[in-house]
Amino acid sequence: MLSVTNAAYEGDYRIRVAFSDGAAGCVDLEPLVTTDHREIVRELADRERFRRFSVAMDTIVWENGFDLAPEYLRHRMMPAPENSPPSSEPRDRVA
């Protein structure tokens, strides 16, 4: 079963995510946050609210209770550029 093992806020609506199978990359959730009409998702358009998430129940969960399946996050993941060194310290680390 795929699960999120670590996540860090990267800026705007991007989150760097690590998965239980060793895959890692950045997920840009701007398309979801700006087009989904459900109130629970619209609340996350406020970047201060968006950045307040934790890793729980094997995925990312926001303070308002919204969560996304790890498989959805993995599908939306953008691989890290090959020539870019990993950041030494995530901006807002959540484990």
Side-chain angles (χ1 to χ4, degrees):
M1 181 173 102
L2 185 65
S3 63
V4 173
T5 58
N6 197 1
Y9 178 73
E10 287 285 309
D12 293 327
Y13 298 106
R14 293 183 314 274
I15 300 173
R16 181 153 307 279
V17 182
F19 295 92
S20 57
D21 65 356
C26 189
V27 178
D28 185 357
L29 296 173
E30 183 172 7
L32 172 71
V33 172
T34 59
T35 62
D36 194 299
H37 297 290
R38 293 174 289 172
E39 182 63 30
I40 196 168
V41 179
R42 288 191 353 221
E43 292 174 5
L44 301 177
D46 176 335
R47 286 189 179 99
E48 284 305 311
R49 286 185 176 185
F50 180 84
R51 70 185 299 153
R52 293 193 305 254
F53 59 83
S54 61
V55 175
M57 300 181 299
D58 297 323
T59 194
I60 297 171
V61 181
W62 281 267
E63 289 181 346
N64 67 356
F66 183 69
D67 67 86
L68 292 166
E71 295 80 7
Y72 175 83
L73 295 168
R74 177 69 182 276
H75 177 74
R76 305 266 324 161
M77 183 176 72
M78 302 173 292
E82 289 185 31
N83 295 330
S84 68
S87 61
S88 59
E89 202 52 42
R91 292 182 192 161
D92 289 334
R93 188 175 179 182
V94 179

